Amino acid sequence: MTLDDLRVFIAVCRAGSLSAVARELSCTQSAVSQHVKRLEKELAVCLVERHARGVVPTSAGRILHAAAADGIGGIDLALRRLRDQARGEGGAVRVTTGATTVRHFMADAIVDFRRRHPRVTLEFQTASSSRACFDALANDDLDLAWITIGAPVRGIEQRPVADLPWVLAVPEGDPLAVQDRVGLADLASCPLIRPPQAATSRAQLDAALGQVGLSPAGHTSVADWDTALLLTELGVGRAVVPELPGWRAAVPPGLRLLPIAGLPALSVGWAVRRWDALSPLARTFADAVAAGCAADRAAGGVPAQGAPPVDGGARRAARIWR
């Protein structure tokens, strides 16, 4: 049994397909199958069941997957830290997150981190959802993921950083624009622009609306809030979006943001495999981003949770849609 055998087995359980893992690893399907067969031979149990549409772990396979996923994650993190130590002051911090998060939400932290650690590499990998971020953390050599905080995920630790209130973006000529805030009933009066179906933020929004009997259908879904605001400007509908640090200073002319009473705030923050195994460099970057939220809170912006004291940094228009 080797670490590679376990890594491949974990990937097979995640993907549910030998061929998908072979494509991911740039090898043959037979090579992937050999890793699984080697484990089965050594353990004397069947670990996966093969079906026409792929493979699923057996009861024994689920036991091994649960234990291996946690163990491999800790080993990979330890190996990363040892490699970083061997490189001296250099090293790398690898982050996975949404397409707009890095550009808008982490701008000040990146500049500050680069100034303080010029020899450290910052690497960013784009993911389409929190679920994709979790998969990337579990299966790749990554340190941090910026996510919408949701239900617990085995092998992943989530740490909230900020609570983002929901707002309704409307054109200034909209009948609702004269109000200081809107209620949930107002969301049923016209088409809404919302996060994509697979997003954690969409699931939480739909669940909150469902509790009061609202089930919007046939509305527009977009992958980022920039597009949501653009569509609102074009008259496609009203955009339901989270109010982000620095948002109001960056809203396009002609739009108003109205707080939505009755919707629980959207919690965002970091996800890692193990905080106690996180490298000092990755922890420094995570703290720098959290410090930006604390700065916005001190300036009267978005509430922040547990962020460390701020060490300078300019205000920015921060945006995230996950």
Side-chain angles (χ1 to χ4, degrees):
M1 180 186 304
T2 67
L3 291 179
D4 283 342
D5 290 338
L6 292 172
R7 288 191 180 97
V8 171
F9 172 68
I10 292 169
V12 168
C13 291
R14 170 178 54 86
S17 167
L18 296 176
S19 59
V21 174
R23 289 192 298 271
E24 181 180 323
L25 300 179
S26 300
C27 65
T28 64
Q29 182 172 327
S30 175
V32 172
S33 180
Q34 286 303 313
H35 283 286
V36 177
K37 288 180 179 178
R38 194 154 42 233
L39 289 173
E40 291 180 325
K41 181 178 180 180
E42 182 166 343
L43 298 173
V45 294
C46 180
L47 297 175
V48 296
E49 295 177 344
R50 293 161 175 80
H51 301 281
R53 295 186 178 181
V55 298
V56 296
T58 62
S59 58
R62 290 192 293 271
I63 292 173
L64 179 62
H65 176 262
D70 291 344
I72 289 293
I75 292 172
D76 286 342
L77 283 172
L79 293 176
R80 265 292 308 282
R81 295 189 67 177
L82 291 173
R83 287 195 295 268
D84 287 344
Q85 287 182 15
R87 294 173 63 177
E89 295 181 5
V93 175
R94 298 172 176 86
V95 182
T96 182
T97 187
T100 63
T101 304
V102 172
R103 185 174 75 250
H104 297 295
F105 198 80
M106 301 182 182
D108 285 353
I110 291 171
V111 172
D112 183 64
F113 186 87
R114 174 60 54 235
R115 177 177 59 82
R116 293 172 179 268
H117 306 281
R119 295 181 56 190
V120 177
T121 300
L122 278 174
E123 299 179 11
F124 296 95
Q125 180 183 114
T126 300
S128 59
S129 65
S130 293
R131 180 71 261 175
C133 285
F134 296 144
D135 288 343
L137 279 176
N139 296 284
D140 294 315
D141 193 15
L142 298 168
D143 298 294
L144 298 158
W146 184 263
I147 62 162
T148 295
I149 303 298
V153 177
R154 185 179 181 86
I156 300 291
E157 297 181 28
Q158 302 180 52
R159 179 165 296 186
V161 171
D163 287 332
L164 310 176
W166 289 95
V167 295
L168 185 68
V170 300
E172 288 185 347
D174 189 286
L176 293 178
V178 299
Q179 301 181 193
D180 292 330
R181 63 181 56 244
V182 296
L184 294 177
D186 294 311
L187 303 183
S189 60
C190 86
L192 297 179
I193 301 167
R194 296 180 291 170
Q197 189 69 44
T200 302
S201 55
R202 170 65 175 271
Q204 295 181 9
L205 176 61
D206 286 354
L209 295 178
Q211 289 180 356
V212 295
L214 294 178
S215 181
H219 294 173
T220 304
S221 296
V222 293
D224 63 87
W225 79 268
D226 299 273
T227 303
L229 293 188
L230 175 60
L231 294 181
T232 300
E233 290 184 87
L234 296 175
V236 174
R238 297 164 176 162
V240 180
V241 290
E243 183 180 0
L244 303 152
W247 177 297
R248 292 185 180 274
V251 173
L255 290 184
R256 287 205 63 203
L257 298 179
L258 307 175
I260 303 173
L263 275 184
L266 188 73
S267 182
V268 296
W270 290 115
V272 301
R273 285 178 289 189
R274 285 180 54 191
W275 281 102
D276 60 0
L278 201 61
S279 72
L281 289 171
R283 190 181 299 274
T284 296
F285 181 75
D287 288 346
V289 174
C293 292
D296 285 298
R297 182 184 186 186
V302 175
Q305 298 183 3
V310 180
D311 184 18
R315 301 293 185 265
R316 79 281 192 203
R319 307 168 190 175
I320 177 177
W321 189 303
R322 295 296 308 289

